[in-house]
Amino acid sequence: MEFTMGGRLEIRITPADVGKRVSVRRRPEGDGAGAEFTDTVGVLTSWNDGVVSITRKSGESVHIVESSLVAGKVVPAAPARRRGPAASFRELAAVTARAWQPVESEPLGEWRLRAAGGFTRRANSALPLGDPGLPLGEAFGRVERWYEERGLPAYVQTATGAEGTQETLCAELERHGWRREVTAEVRIAALAPVGDLDADVTAVRLTREPDEAWLSRYQRFSTPGPHVLRVLGSGPAVWFATVAGGAGGEAPAAIGRCVVDGRWAGFMAVEVAPEHRRRGLATSVMAALARRALDEGASAAWLQVEEDNEGARALYDGMGFAAHHRYHHFRPA
């Protein structure tokens, strides 16, 4: 990371750069001899009262005493992508929302309040894709009241790490006492290589609706009530994949879900029974769903994976999926 100009470290950012992506270097606390500088890259979200606040792509906010800065500069809004389809944050945000729709929805300006009986945070959180039509503090209060009326915890879903994402909103949520609870990556890839994976798809059964066997393997609920089925069945063109687990009514060995929406195919709920892992069943499910999506005209793929799911991250790395942005769920502290 290079900060020098003519051999000197320079601070080339000011409070006027709030909202831009920056890279800064600061002295360590104590300024001990031999101590290394600390570098931070992210969106400059505020510069007030001698404190510089930067929100990283991870969603973490870093607060830096201005006097400790030794260098700083504005950097490009997002690194150039080396693989995968071109996609904007706004396009992906809309596509991912259509693939997992709530039971109840209400606008708040350009935000969308969503509820589905508490089944998953994605279907039970405010989606802020514009101006709420209120000062942010009032909008946050309205979100809290709306979910309280439904007996649900209040969440706001935000995104970081790509051009046009919501680092400033993340910082405002923190300033109003909200805290990040969960972070996941949205990953994208070309669809054809997923369909071309070397996988046996002969045992994968595809259906338009989840049957009792599929639901018995899915781990995100205790009782599959109507709200669960509404969410799972939502989307422009939905497919469910099942690999049978054996005779005697055994739960499926593996399942998956795919939503085809124009050029996009979104993959969700890919699960393999513990006793059937390391047999390539997740790859078979992905390949079968990808081939069906290709038949329906899709050309690009997306999925979401939580940060701490190392096994899934490794699997999707091998399929060519690369991180596009991260999304977070904020909840009042």
Side-chain angles (χ1 to χ4, degrees):
M1 188 177 296
E2 183 58 60
F3 288 94
T4 59
M5 177 73 74
R8 303 187 311 277
L9 291 170
E10 289 193 349
I11 300 174
R12 303 201 297 273
I13 58 173
T14 72
D17 293 313
V18 167
K20 298 179 181 178
R21 189 167 181 264
V22 301
S23 177
V24 303
R25 177 168 292 174
R26 69 181 187 272
R27 301 185 193 89
E29 292 185 10
D31 201 18
E36 296 183 354
F37 292 122
T38 299
D39 295 331
T40 302
V41 178
V43 173
L44 180 63
T45 50
S46 68
W47 191 329
N48 297 313
D49 301 323
V51 177
V52 175
S53 297
I54 295 173
T55 299
R56 292 172 165 163
K57 67 180 181 180
S58 66
E60 174 194 9
S61 290
V62 179
H63 307 290
I64 302 168
V65 177
E66 179 182 347
S67 59
S68 70
L69 290 177
V70 296
K73 62 182 179 181
V74 174
V75 294
R81 291 192 52 77
R82 292 182 172 83
R83 56 176 176 161
S88 68
F89 161 66
R90 290 297 294 249
E91 178 187 7
L92 273 174
V95 168
T96 57
R98 287 194 294 268
W100 199 260
Q101 297 175 25
V103 174
E104 180 184 5
S105 179
E106 180 179 315
L108 177 62
E110 295 177 294
W111 293 16
R112 178 66 56 176
L113 306 176
R114 306 175 294 178
F119 173 57
T120 71
R121 293 179 184 85
R122 277 183 287 163
N124 293 270
S125 56
L127 184 64
L129 294 180
D131 185 350
L134 299 169
L136 281 178
E138 294 181 28
F140 298 154
R142 172 62 182 137
V143 170
E144 289 193 67
R145 291 190 298 275
W146 195 84
Y147 286 99
E148 183 179 6
E149 290 167 1
R150 288 153 182 80
L152 297 171
Y155 287 105
V156 174
Q157 180 179 313
T158 64
T160 59
E163 186 172 1
T165 48
Q166 300 160 317
E167 285 81 358
T168 300
L169 179 59
C170 292
E172 283 297 312
L173 283 160
E174 287 192 352
R175 191 170 70 83
H176 284 81
W178 294 57
R179 295 292 178 265
R180 276 188 308 137
E181 195 167 274
V182 175
T183 291
E185 285 183 342
V186 176
R187 292 185 166 208
I188 62 175
L191 183 60
V194 182
D196 288 340
L197 289 169
D198 183 12
D200 180 7
V201 300
T202 57
V204 181
R205 180 171 61 91
L206 300 182
T207 59
R208 281 294 195 182
E209 296 180 353
D211 58 18
E212 290 186 7
W214 193 99
L215 293 168
S216 71
R217 172 55 55 204
Y218 189 51
Q219 301 297 309
R220 292 299 184 102
F221 57 84
S222 55
T223 303
H227 60 293
V228 173
L229 298 177
R230 281 274 300 277
V231 175
L232 288 173
S234 64
V238 188
W239 288 98
F240 295 88
T242 305
V243 179
E250 182 182 343
I255 60 170
R257 176 179 183 265
C258 178
V259 177
V260 182
D261 184 353
R263 71 178 181 124
W264 290 102
F267 296 86
M268 290 142 276
V270 177
E271 298 186 7
V272 179
E275 66 272 20
H276 291 287
R277 288 174 184 165
R278 302 188 182 282
R279 292 174 47 197
L281 295 184
T283 301
S284 295
V285 165
M286 291 286 292
L289 289 169
R291 293 174 192 181
R292 181 56 56 91
L294 286 164
D295 288 344
E296 295 195 354
S299 60
W302 67 266
L303 52 79
Q304 298 165 322
V305 57
E306 292 188 2
E307 281 192 324
D308 59 357
N309 193 340
E310 294 298 332
R313 288 160 63 90
L315 173 70
Y316 299 137
D317 282 344
M319 295 181 181
F321 283 89
H324 182 275
H325 65 271
R326 289 172 171 83
Y327 76 90
H328 320 274
H329 284 105
F330 279 80
R331 183 175 178 178

